[in-house]
Amino acid sequence: MLIYLRVLKESFFFAWSALRNNKLRTFLSLLGVTIGIFSIIAVLAAVDSLEREVKGSLSALDNSTIMIMKFSFGPSDIPQWKRQQFPHASYDEYQYLMRSLPDVAAGTFAQGVPQASLKYQDITSSGISVVAVTNGYYDIEQFDIAEGRFYSEAESASGAPVVVLGYEIAQNLFGNSNPLGKQVRMYGHRVTVIGVLEKQGSGLMGNSRDGQVMVPVNFTRRIFGDNNQNIFGQIILKPEEGTDDDEFVAMAEQQLRSYRGLKPGEVNTFFVNRIQGFADFIDTITGQLNLIGLIISGFSLLVGGFGIANIMFVSVKERTNLIGIQKSLGAKNKFILSQFLFEAIILSVIGGLIGLFLVWIVSLIASQFTGDFEFVLSPLNILIGTAVSAIIGLISGIIPAISASKLDPVEAIRTGM
């Protein structure tokens, strides 16, 4: 064991000597490994960060939650032209399901409405996302209210002109003054501020609640109606804990088919989307992105491997005389083989570490320009980068190491003179 530690130490010094004495040649040879590792780990880090951001936005919803609408989260066997003819989920269907569907822990009806402008005195905030939902939404998605309250069931049912502001909207309109009880104009109507959401921070996906407002869905239904094709509705249901998810989905489908009068054999005119299914879909997409990134980066690593092999062949030639002396003094072939293999691995790992360092620098810079979205270089990605660079060094150095170990000592000494 000690002899191999000594070989490793000597190999490190030989590799360091190659870097120091032939800076340009070694730099150009290691450039391929550096670029390859940078590309692979940058892709992995970016995809991991994106996946964390998307799943983080879904974490507020229970995985068993379902969304009933005319759109599907994933691919569908139903032609697009036929899907476009499906009716939107309605408020009446939501009420029917809440009455007839067993094991419902919480439910809400949401309406996708246009962005709005909010005006208070002479201050206007434009392009605001409006979340129009029933009060049951508070029991489905996790969010905190910093000031005031969420609207009640009575306010939700009557469509009371009340609004809960996102943190950023409240700051824009009211600054440090108390917004509760103040009236703002929205969609041409006066609405009363009853609450302000806790500051969430921005994300890359642009889905932060800081720039949103929440109003009772019956308030927007009075303004836009139920037959507006540009306004889509969705029913969100959360089953009670311990309920079989498949059975719950099947029961929801059966109840809604019955309400819509669909005959046996007719396809559903709606989709029941599962949050868990969407998370699985995200996993599939990120897996494909990782694969594409690995394939593209593999070409850089191939070039880097040739560079390491080139360094090692030159190193063998430069140290032919030394190899002959070592073998004449009793050094075995596996000793020579290990020496050059270690050197190739060390050189490749140095190139890989440079690539990892560049990824870390880029991630820090990128995080500064993307708000609260954070590019993270995880320990797993660092381990992957180091392992891949070591493997590249092992593969690239094996042939030069074998050629060095098979040199005849007499010929090697004579050639080196």
Side-chain angles (χ1 to χ4, degrees):
M1 184 65 183
L2 290 175
I3 190 170
Y4 283 103
L5 289 175
R6 192 180 72 183
V7 171
L8 182 61
K9 178 182 177 181
E10 291 179 356
S11 299
F12 176 79
F13 283 117
F14 276 124
W16 183 253
S17 177
L19 284 170
R20 187 176 56 188
N21 297 332
N22 302 283
K23 296 182 180 65
L24 182 59
R25 184 187 71 189
T26 308
F27 168 75
L28 294 175
S29 299
L30 293 184
L31 190 59
V33 174
T34 299
I35 294 174
I37 295 298
F38 173 84
S39 303
I40 289 178
I41 303 305
V43 169
L44 291 177
V47 173
D48 286 351
S49 301
L50 181 61
E51 184 178 12
R52 184 187 295 110
E53 172 77 6
V54 174
K55 290 189 173 180
S57 64
L58 294 177
S59 63
L61 293 172
D62 191 284
N63 280 344
S64 60
T65 302
I66 62 173
M67 296 182 176
I68 302 174
M69 61 184 80
K70 71 176 290 185
F71 308 111
S72 173
F73 282 170
S76 172
D77 296 331
I78 302 175
Q80 184 176 359
W81 65 268
K82 194 168 187 178
R83 280 179 278 154
Q84 290 176 342
Q85 296 176 354
F86 289 173
H88 288 295
S90 70
Y91 183 77
D92 291 339
E93 290 172 337
Y94 156 71
Q95 289 185 309
Y96 173 76
L97 290 177
M98 290 297 291
R99 290 193 306 266
S100 61
L101 192 63
D103 303 322
V104 178
T108 187
F109 179 74
Q111 200 174 43
V113 295
Q115 292 183 335
S117 295
L118 265 66
K119 184 176 182 180
Y120 175 70
Q121 294 179 353
D122 59 345
I123 304 173
T124 301
S125 284
S126 303
I128 298 172
S129 297
V130 179
V131 180
V133 288
T134 60
N135 70 303
Y137 190 69
Y138 188 73
D139 298 320
I140 289 181
E141 185 162 355
Q142 300 171 5
F143 57 89
D144 297 319
I145 296 180
E147 300 178 67
R149 60 179 178 85
F150 200 65
Y151 41 85
S152 65
E153 184 177 358
E155 290 171 326
S156 176
S158 64
V162 293
V163 63
V164 178
L165 305 178
Y167 177 84
E168 184 180 324
I169 305 303
Q171 289 293 308
N172 290 343
L173 293 176
F174 301 100
N176 295 325
S177 62
N178 184 9
L180 300 182
K182 304 284 180 61
Q183 288 192 332
V184 297
R185 292 197 66 82
M186 173 182 175
Y187 293 138
H189 294 73
R190 290 188 179 275
V191 294
T192 303
V193 179
I194 62 171
V196 177
L197 298 176
E198 192 78 45
K199 182 179 181 180
Q200 184 181 36
S202 60
L204 185 66
M205 304 300 292
N207 56 353
S208 171
R209 295 210 177 279
D210 293 346
Q212 297 177 346
V213 299
M214 307 179 78
V215 297
V217 72
N218 283 343
F219 170 71
T220 58
R221 286 179 65 221
R222 276 206 311 269
I223 296 173
F224 298 104
D226 289 326
N227 298 318
N228 191 328
Q229 290 302 307
N230 295 321
I231 307 296
F232 72 90
Q234 58 178 317
I235 301 167
I236 306 174
L237 301 173
K238 177 182 177 181
E240 292 181 350
E241 189 174 350
T243 302
D244 183 270
D245 292 347
D246 293 333
E247 185 177 334
F248 184 76
V249 169
M251 184 64 70
E253 287 183 349
Q254 179 184 342
Q255 293 290 341
L256 191 52
R257 284 181 61 87
S258 174
Y259 186 87
R260 291 192 174 185
L262 296 176
K263 299 176 182 179
E266 291 183 329
V267 299
N268 291 340
T269 56
F270 55 89
F271 291 97
V272 180
N273 297 297
R274 305 191 196 193
I275 295 299
Q276 181 60 52
F278 186 62
D280 294 340
F281 177 68
I282 294 298
D283 287 337
T284 302
I285 296 298
T286 53
Q288 292 174 348
L289 290 174
N290 279 331
L291 179 60
I292 294 172
L294 290 175
I295 292 174
I296 295 174
S297 304
F299 290 104
S300 297
L301 285 177
L302 183 64
V303 174
F306 286 126
I308 297 295
N310 176 60
I311 290 179
M312 296 315 300
F313 276 120
V314 172
S315 182
V316 170
K317 185 174 182 180
E318 290 177 344
R319 285 153 47 192
T320 300
N321 186 36
L322 180 59
I323 295 170
I325 294 173
Q326 287 178 323
K327 299 191 78 171
S328 65
L329 293 176
K332 296 182 179 180
N333 287 351
K334 64 179 181 179
F335 177 86
I336 304 297
L337 179 70
S338 301
Q339 188 179 50
F340 281 91
L341 272 183
F342 283 150
E343 184 175 342
I345 292 172
I346 290 169
L347 282 170
S348 186
V349 168
I350 290 173
L353 291 177
I354 296 173
L356 288 171
F357 177 74
L358 292 176
V359 173
W360 179 67
I361 293 296
V362 170
S363 66
L364 290 179
I365 296 173
S367 296
Q368 298 299 316
F369 291 95
T370 52
D372 291 331
F373 180 85
E374 185 178 6
F375 286 92
V376 179
L377 181 59
S378 67
L380 177 60
N381 286 336
I382 293 174
L383 180 62
I384 291 173
T386 305
V388 169
S389 56
I391 292 171
I392 292 298
L394 179 65
I395 295 173
S396 303
I398 189 69
I399 296 178
I402 291 175
S403 65
S405 67
K406 290 184 176 180
L407 286 175
D408 180 83
V410 177
E411 289 295 327
I413 294 174
R414 183 183 301 153
T415 304
M417 288 182 172

